[in-house]
Amino acid sequence: MAQRLVRILCPHCKKEVEASNLSGTDVSLPPDITIVAQPVGCPQCFYTGYRGRRAIYEVVPVTSEIAQLINEPEGTMDTLFKKYQIMLLKDAALNLLRKKETGLDEVFTYL
Ligand SMILES: [Zn+2]
């Protein structure tokens, strides 16, 4: 199990932008994410653009099938994660981005 805390955008000042318009966006987002919310800053959030955090987590059951691949290179288990519909940190972070609760800056590290 792994858990991280992701900063949540301030609901008072976040603004929505086209993901393709963001400079430095060299990661490929899922095609359904075209609009993302970005931090701005206001008195409510002490001009940080963020207000609060939310835990995201992943739980990977170590089945014999997965155990055999633990020492293999990163990415080897991806098809198994899909097969068993295991939600990884990346998926949880993208869900928060999709719901415009966090910004791209918070999600980059998981992509
Ligand atoms: Zn704010």
Side-chain angles (χ1 to χ4, degrees):
M1 177 173 176
Q3 179 183 294
R4 301 286 185 279
L5 291 175
V6 173
R7 290 186 296 171
I8 296 299
L9 289 165
C10 171
H12 302 286
C13 63
K14 66 181 175 185
K15 71 168 184 183
E16 295 187 3
V17 295
E18 294 255 354
S20 57
N21 287 349
L22 293 172
S23 61
T25 312
D26 54 355
V27 292
S28 56
L29 292 172
D32 65 305
I33 301 180
T34 55
I35 308 285
V36 296
Q38 286 292 93
V40 177
C42 71
Q44 299 277 343
C45 59
F46 302 102
Y47 300 97
T48 62
Y50 290 95
R51 200 165 171 189
R53 291 176 184 264
R54 173 114 13 106
I56 58 170
Y57 56 89
E58 68 184 24
V59 179
V60 178
V62 184
T63 62
S64 57
E65 203 173 5
I66 286 176
Q68 287 175 353
L69 299 174
I70 278 179
N71 291 323
E72 297 299 319
E74 189 178 337
T76 309
M77 286 190 255
D78 287 357
T79 50
L80 282 182
F81 293 151
K82 281 199 180 88
K83 177 180 171 186
Y84 294 115
Q85 296 181 328
I86 294 171
M87 186 186 281
L88 302 177
L89 285 174
K90 171 187 172 178
D91 304 312
L94 283 172
N95 279 343
L96 284 182
L97 184 69
R98 195 173 276 120
K99 291 192 283 184
K100 301 176 182 69
E101 291 183 24
T102 196
L104 207 47
D105 288 350
E106 286 293 290
V107 173
F108 268 134
T109 51
Y110 305 105
L111 300 179

